[in-house]
Short mmCIF file of all heavy atoms in Angstrom, two decimals:
data_model
loop_
_atom_site.label_atom_id
_atom_site.label_comp_id
_atom_site.label_asym_id
_atom_site.label_seq_id
_atom_site.Cartn_x
_atom_site.Cartn_y
_atom_site.Cartn_z
N PRO A 225 -55.70 67.11 96.08
CA PRO A 225 -55.63 66.32 94.85
C PRO A 225 -54.35 65.40 94.89
O PRO A 225 -53.33 65.88 95.31
CB PRO A 225 -55.52 67.30 93.74
CG PRO A 225 -55.74 68.66 94.38
CD PRO A 225 -55.37 68.53 95.79
N ARG A 226 -54.55 64.18 94.67
CA ARG A 226 -53.40 63.27 94.55
C ARG A 226 -52.44 63.83 93.58
O ARG A 226 -52.89 64.11 92.43
CB ARG A 226 -53.79 61.86 94.23
CG ARG A 226 -52.62 60.77 94.47
CD ARG A 226 -53.13 59.40 94.28
NE ARG A 226 -54.21 59.04 95.21
CZ ARG A 226 -54.02 58.67 96.43
NH1 ARG A 226 -52.80 58.67 96.99
NH2 ARG A 226 -55.12 58.38 97.18
N GLY A 227 -51.17 63.95 93.92
CA GLY A 227 -50.17 64.54 92.95
C GLY A 227 -49.93 65.99 93.30
O GLY A 227 -49.08 66.61 92.66
N GLY A 228 -50.69 66.50 94.32
CA GLY A 228 -50.47 67.89 94.76
C GLY A 228 -51.37 68.82 94.10
O GLY A 228 -52.12 68.57 93.17
N MET A 229 -51.44 70.06 94.69
CA MET A 229 -52.38 71.03 94.16
C MET A 229 -52.15 71.43 92.72
O MET A 229 -53.10 71.82 92.02
CB MET A 229 -52.25 72.37 94.99
CG MET A 229 -52.81 72.16 96.38
SD MET A 229 -54.73 72.10 96.36
CE MET A 229 -55.12 73.80 95.97
N HIS A 230 -50.89 71.25 92.28
CA HIS A 230 -50.66 71.59 90.84
C HIS A 230 -51.39 70.66 89.94
O HIS A 230 -51.57 70.93 88.72
CB HIS A 230 -49.21 71.59 90.60
CG HIS A 230 -48.79 71.92 89.16
ND1 HIS A 230 -48.98 73.21 88.70
CD2 HIS A 230 -48.32 71.19 88.08
CE1 HIS A 230 -48.55 73.29 87.36
NE2 HIS A 230 -48.19 72.04 87.06
N ALA A 231 -51.78 69.55 90.41
CA ALA A 231 -52.54 68.55 89.62
C ALA A 231 -53.88 69.19 89.14
O ALA A 231 -54.42 68.81 88.06
CB ALA A 231 -52.85 67.32 90.37
N LEU A 232 -54.39 70.14 89.92
CA LEU A 232 -55.69 70.78 89.47
C LEU A 232 -55.57 71.60 88.20
O LEU A 232 -56.25 71.30 87.25
CB LEU A 232 -56.08 71.63 90.68
CG LEU A 232 -57.44 72.58 90.37
CD1 LEU A 232 -58.58 71.73 89.86
CD2 LEU A 232 -57.76 73.37 91.61
N PRO A 233 -54.60 72.58 88.24
CA PRO A 233 -54.49 73.36 86.88
C PRO A 233 -54.01 72.46 85.75
O PRO A 233 -54.36 72.63 84.59
CB PRO A 233 -53.49 74.43 87.13
CG PRO A 233 -52.75 73.99 88.34
CD PRO A 233 -53.75 73.19 89.18
N ARG A 234 -53.25 71.46 86.01
CA ARG A 234 -52.78 70.54 84.97
C ARG A 234 -53.94 69.77 84.37
O ARG A 234 -54.06 69.65 83.20
CB ARG A 234 -51.71 69.61 85.53
CG ARG A 234 -50.98 68.76 84.43
CD ARG A 234 -49.77 68.00 85.01
NE ARG A 234 -50.15 67.10 86.01
CZ ARG A 234 -49.81 67.21 87.33
NH1 ARG A 234 -49.08 68.21 87.71
NH2 ARG A 234 -50.12 66.23 88.16
N ALA A 235 -54.85 69.29 85.22
CA ALA A 235 -56.00 68.62 84.78
C ALA A 235 -56.96 69.48 83.97
O ALA A 235 -57.56 69.15 82.91
CB ALA A 235 -56.78 67.94 85.94
N MET A 236 -57.09 70.75 84.47
CA MET A 236 -57.97 71.70 83.78
C MET A 236 -57.42 72.00 82.38
O MET A 236 -58.11 72.12 81.37
CB MET A 236 -58.11 72.99 84.58
CG MET A 236 -58.95 72.68 85.93
SD MET A 236 -59.06 74.22 86.89
CE MET A 236 -60.20 75.24 85.98
N ALA A 237 -56.08 72.15 82.27
CA ALA A 237 -55.44 72.45 81.02
C ALA A 237 -55.61 71.30 80.01
O ALA A 237 -55.79 71.43 78.84
CB ALA A 237 -53.95 72.71 81.24
N GLU A 238 -55.51 70.08 80.55
CA GLU A 238 -55.65 68.90 79.68
C GLU A 238 -57.14 68.90 79.15
O GLU A 238 -57.36 68.46 78.05
CB GLU A 238 -55.38 67.64 80.49
CG GLU A 238 -53.78 67.47 80.68
CD GLU A 238 -53.57 66.38 81.78
OE1 GLU A 238 -54.53 65.77 82.31
OE2 GLU A 238 -52.37 66.17 81.98
N ALA A 239 -58.08 69.09 80.04
CA ALA A 239 -59.47 69.07 79.62
C ALA A 239 -59.73 70.16 78.56
O ALA A 239 -60.45 69.95 77.62
CB ALA A 239 -60.45 69.29 80.75
N ALA A 240 -59.11 71.33 78.70
CA ALA A 240 -59.31 72.47 77.76
C ALA A 240 -58.65 72.10 76.43
O ALA A 240 -59.31 72.33 75.35
CB ALA A 240 -58.63 73.71 78.31
N ALA A 241 -57.57 71.49 76.48
CA ALA A 241 -56.91 71.09 75.22
C ALA A 241 -57.74 70.02 74.45
O ALA A 241 -57.96 70.15 73.26
CB ALA A 241 -55.50 70.57 75.39
N ARG A 242 -58.32 69.07 75.20
CA ARG A 242 -59.09 68.10 74.62
C ARG A 242 -60.45 68.69 73.97
O ARG A 242 -60.93 68.25 73.05
CB ARG A 242 -59.48 67.00 75.66
CG ARG A 242 -60.32 65.85 75.08
CD ARG A 242 -60.50 64.75 76.09
NE ARG A 242 -61.38 63.73 75.58
CZ ARG A 242 -61.77 62.73 76.25
NH1 ARG A 242 -61.37 62.53 77.49
NH2 ARG A 242 -62.59 61.78 75.71
N ALA A 243 -60.85 69.76 74.61
CA ALA A 243 -62.07 70.42 74.13
C ALA A 243 -61.83 71.38 72.94
O ALA A 243 -62.79 71.99 72.51
CB ALA A 243 -62.76 71.17 75.28
N GLY A 244 -60.58 71.51 72.55
CA GLY A 244 -60.33 72.31 71.39
C GLY A 244 -59.50 73.52 71.65
O GLY A 244 -59.17 74.28 70.72
N ALA A 245 -59.09 73.78 72.90
CA ALA A 245 -58.32 75.07 73.16
C ALA A 245 -56.93 74.98 72.53
O ALA A 245 -56.31 73.86 72.51
CB ALA A 245 -58.23 75.29 74.62
N ASP A 246 -56.47 76.02 71.98
CA ASP A 246 -55.14 76.16 71.44
C ASP A 246 -54.26 76.83 72.53
O ASP A 246 -54.38 77.97 72.77
CB ASP A 246 -55.09 76.99 70.16
CG ASP A 246 -53.71 77.21 69.56
OD1 ASP A 246 -52.70 76.56 70.08
OD2 ASP A 246 -53.57 77.90 68.61
N ILE A 247 -53.45 75.95 73.27
CA ILE A 247 -52.69 76.45 74.39
C ILE A 247 -51.26 76.70 73.98
O ILE A 247 -50.61 75.77 73.44
CB ILE A 247 -52.75 75.43 75.51
CG1 ILE A 247 -54.25 75.10 76.00
CG2 ILE A 247 -52.05 76.05 76.74
CD1 ILE A 247 -54.40 74.20 77.13
N ARG A 248 -50.79 77.83 74.24
CA ARG A 248 -49.44 78.29 73.80
C ARG A 248 -48.69 78.79 75.00
O ARG A 248 -48.93 79.85 75.53
CB ARG A 248 -49.52 79.33 72.72
CG ARG A 248 -50.42 78.93 71.58
CD ARG A 248 -50.47 80.02 70.44
NE ARG A 248 -51.45 79.61 69.36
CZ ARG A 248 -51.71 80.34 68.34
NH1 ARG A 248 -50.88 81.43 68.07
NH2 ARG A 248 -52.64 79.93 67.47
N TYR A 249 -47.80 77.86 75.52
CA TYR A 249 -46.90 78.22 76.60
C TYR A 249 -45.71 79.07 76.14
O TYR A 249 -45.28 78.93 75.03
CB TYR A 249 -46.51 76.93 77.42
CG TYR A 249 -47.69 76.22 77.96
CD1 TYR A 249 -47.97 74.89 77.60
CD2 TYR A 249 -48.56 76.83 78.96
CE1 TYR A 249 -49.02 74.16 78.16
CE2 TYR A 249 -49.60 76.12 79.48
CZ TYR A 249 -49.87 74.80 79.00
OH TYR A 249 -50.88 74.11 79.50
N GLY A 250 -45.06 79.68 77.09
CA GLY A 250 -43.82 80.38 76.73
C GLY A 250 -44.18 81.65 75.88
O GLY A 250 -43.36 82.14 75.19
N HIS A 251 -45.39 82.18 76.00
CA HIS A 251 -45.83 83.39 75.27
C HIS A 251 -46.05 84.50 76.31
O HIS A 251 -47.13 84.48 76.94
CB HIS A 251 -47.09 83.06 74.46
CG HIS A 251 -46.79 82.33 73.22
ND1 HIS A 251 -47.00 82.84 71.88
CD2 HIS A 251 -46.41 81.04 72.92
CE1 HIS A 251 -46.66 82.00 71.00
NE2 HIS A 251 -46.31 80.83 71.61
N ASP A 252 -45.20 85.44 76.37
CA ASP A 252 -45.34 86.58 77.34
C ASP A 252 -46.01 87.68 76.52
O ASP A 252 -45.50 88.17 75.46
CB ASP A 252 -43.95 87.01 77.78
CG ASP A 252 -44.07 87.94 79.00
OD1 ASP A 252 -45.26 88.28 79.40
OD2 ASP A 252 -43.03 88.43 79.44
N VAL A 253 -47.26 88.13 76.95
CA VAL A 253 -47.91 89.18 76.23
C VAL A 253 -47.22 90.56 76.39
O VAL A 253 -46.90 90.96 77.50
CB VAL A 253 -49.41 89.27 76.74
CG1 VAL A 253 -50.12 90.47 76.02
CG2 VAL A 253 -50.06 87.98 76.45
N GLN A 254 -46.95 91.16 75.19
CA GLN A 254 -46.26 92.41 75.21
C GLN A 254 -47.27 93.61 75.11
O GLN A 254 -47.04 94.67 75.72
CB GLN A 254 -45.29 92.52 74.02
CG GLN A 254 -44.24 91.36 74.06
CD GLN A 254 -43.29 91.63 75.23
OE1 GLN A 254 -42.43 92.54 75.36
NE2 GLN A 254 -43.34 90.74 76.28
N ARG A 255 -48.22 93.46 74.28
CA ARG A 255 -49.24 94.53 74.05
C ARG A 255 -50.44 93.97 73.49
O ARG A 255 -50.52 92.92 73.05
CB ARG A 255 -48.57 95.66 73.15
CG ARG A 255 -48.17 95.22 71.82
CD ARG A 255 -47.42 96.30 71.07
NE ARG A 255 -46.94 95.72 69.87
CZ ARG A 255 -47.50 95.86 68.66
NH1 ARG A 255 -48.78 96.32 68.63
NH2 ARG A 255 -47.05 95.38 67.57
N LEU A 256 -51.50 94.87 73.42
CA LEU A 256 -52.76 94.58 72.84
C LEU A 256 -52.93 95.60 71.64
O LEU A 256 -52.77 96.81 71.83
CB LEU A 256 -53.93 94.76 73.76
CG LEU A 256 -53.87 93.91 75.11
CD1 LEU A 256 -54.97 94.27 76.07
CD2 LEU A 256 -53.86 92.37 74.80
N GLU A 257 -53.35 95.04 70.51
CA GLU A 257 -53.66 95.91 69.42
C GLU A 257 -55.17 96.29 69.46
O GLU A 257 -55.95 95.44 69.89
CB GLU A 257 -53.41 95.28 68.05
CG GLU A 257 -51.86 95.24 67.79
CD GLU A 257 -51.60 94.61 66.40
OE1 GLU A 257 -52.60 94.42 65.64
OE2 GLU A 257 -50.42 94.45 66.04
N ARG A 258 -55.50 97.52 69.11
CA ARG A 258 -56.96 97.88 69.17
C ARG A 258 -57.34 98.78 67.96
O ARG A 258 -56.46 99.43 67.33
CB ARG A 258 -57.26 98.61 70.42
CG ARG A 258 -56.61 99.94 70.64
CD ARG A 258 -57.23 100.69 71.82
NE ARG A 258 -57.02 100.04 73.12
CZ ARG A 258 -58.01 99.99 74.02
NH1 ARG A 258 -59.14 100.58 73.86
NH2 ARG A 258 -57.76 99.47 75.23
N THR A 259 -58.54 98.68 67.64
CA THR A 259 -59.20 99.56 66.68
C THR A 259 -60.33 100.25 67.41
O THR A 259 -61.34 99.52 67.76
CB THR A 259 -59.69 98.88 65.45
OG1 THR A 259 -58.58 98.24 64.81
CG2 THR A 259 -60.37 99.84 64.54
N GLY A 260 -60.18 101.57 67.66
CA GLY A 260 -61.20 102.28 68.51
C GLY A 260 -61.25 101.63 69.85
O GLY A 260 -60.23 101.58 70.59
N SER A 261 -62.44 101.20 70.31
CA SER A 261 -62.63 100.69 71.60
C SER A 261 -62.53 99.17 71.70
O SER A 261 -62.75 98.53 72.67
CB SER A 261 -63.89 101.08 72.16
OG SER A 261 -65.02 100.64 71.38
N ARG A 262 -62.15 98.43 70.50
CA ARG A 262 -62.06 97.05 70.48
C ARG A 262 -60.64 96.55 70.43
O ARG A 262 -59.78 97.14 69.59
CB ARG A 262 -62.89 96.50 69.33
CG ARG A 262 -64.39 96.61 69.45
CD ARG A 262 -65.08 95.95 68.38
NE ARG A 262 -65.08 94.42 68.64
CZ ARG A 262 -65.91 93.71 69.43
NH1 ARG A 262 -66.87 94.41 70.08
NH2 ARG A 262 -65.83 92.47 69.49
N ILE A 263 -60.32 95.50 71.21
CA ILE A 263 -59.06 94.83 71.05
C ILE A 263 -59.08 93.89 69.79
O ILE A 263 -60.08 93.12 69.74
CB ILE A 263 -58.68 93.98 72.29
CG1 ILE A 263 -58.84 94.85 73.57
CG2 ILE A 263 -57.39 93.35 72.16
CD1 ILE A 263 -57.84 96.00 73.58
N THR A 264 -58.15 94.02 68.97
CA THR A 264 -58.17 93.21 67.72
C THR A 264 -57.15 92.10 67.69
O THR A 264 -57.30 91.21 66.86
CB THR A 264 -58.01 94.20 66.52
OG1 THR A 264 -56.80 94.90 66.63
CG2 THR A 264 -59.24 95.11 66.33
N ALA A 265 -56.11 92.24 68.54
CA ALA A 265 -55.02 91.20 68.60
C ALA A 265 -54.28 91.28 69.83
O ALA A 265 -54.14 92.37 70.47
CB ALA A 265 -54.08 91.40 67.36
N VAL A 266 -53.84 90.14 70.19
CA VAL A 266 -52.86 89.97 71.36
C VAL A 266 -51.45 89.69 70.82
O VAL A 266 -51.29 88.77 70.06
CB VAL A 266 -53.32 88.88 72.33
CG1 VAL A 266 -52.25 88.74 73.37
CG2 VAL A 266 -54.73 89.23 72.88
N VAL A 267 -50.52 90.56 71.16
CA VAL A 267 -49.12 90.44 70.60
C VAL A 267 -48.25 89.88 71.78
O VAL A 267 -48.10 90.53 72.80
CB VAL A 267 -48.61 91.73 70.08
CG1 VAL A 267 -47.21 91.55 69.55
CG2 VAL A 267 -49.59 92.37 69.02
N THR A 268 -47.66 88.75 71.44
CA THR A 268 -46.79 88.12 72.50
C THR A 268 -45.32 88.25 72.02
O THR A 268 -45.00 88.90 71.00
CB THR A 268 -47.13 86.64 72.65
OG1 THR A 268 -46.58 85.91 71.49
CG2 THR A 268 -48.56 86.38 72.77
N THR A 269 -44.38 87.80 72.78
CA THR A 269 -43.05 87.82 72.41
C THR A 269 -42.76 86.92 71.21
O THR A 269 -41.65 87.09 70.64
CB THR A 269 -42.14 87.25 73.60
OG1 THR A 269 -42.76 86.00 74.08
CG2 THR A 269 -42.07 88.29 74.76
N ARG A 270 -43.66 86.12 70.80
CA ARG A 270 -43.46 85.26 69.63
C ARG A 270 -44.35 85.45 68.43
O ARG A 270 -44.02 85.00 67.31
CB ARG A 270 -43.58 83.74 70.18
CG ARG A 270 -42.49 83.47 71.28
CD ARG A 270 -42.71 82.19 71.95
NE ARG A 270 -42.60 80.99 71.16
CZ ARG A 270 -42.68 79.78 71.64
NH1 ARG A 270 -42.87 79.55 72.89
NH2 ARG A 270 -42.58 78.75 70.73
N GLU A 271 -45.56 86.07 68.59
CA GLU A 271 -46.42 86.19 67.53
C GLU A 271 -47.53 87.12 67.78
O GLU A 271 -47.76 87.56 68.96
CB GLU A 271 -47.01 84.75 67.14
CG GLU A 271 -47.82 84.21 68.23
CD GLU A 271 -48.45 82.85 67.84
OE1 GLU A 271 -48.85 82.65 66.68
OE2 GLU A 271 -48.40 81.99 68.78
N ARG A 272 -48.31 87.44 66.75
CA ARG A 272 -49.54 88.24 66.89
C ARG A 272 -50.78 87.31 66.71
O ARG A 272 -50.71 86.58 65.72
CB ARG A 272 -49.53 89.33 65.71
CG ARG A 272 -50.78 90.18 65.70
CD ARG A 272 -50.81 91.13 64.50
NE ARG A 272 -51.97 91.86 64.41
CZ ARG A 272 -53.13 91.55 63.91
NH1 ARG A 272 -53.22 90.26 63.34
NH2 ARG A 272 -54.21 92.34 63.91
#
Side-chain angles (χ1 to χ4, degrees):
R226 192 175 301 279
M229 285 289 288
H230 183 69
L232 172 57
R234 191 168 62 246
M236 293 176 72
E238 290 169 356
R242 183 175 175 180
D246 180 3
I247 305 180
R248 305 180 189 184
Y249 298 118
H251 283 246
D252 194 1
V253 175
Q254 299 295 291
R255 59 188 174 89
L256 304 176
E257 288 185 5
R258 67 167 63 219
T259 300
S261 59
R262 291 189 71 86
I263 306 300
T264 55
V266 174
V267 181
T268 76
T269 47
R270 298 167 66 174
E271 64 181 320
R272 175 187 181 275

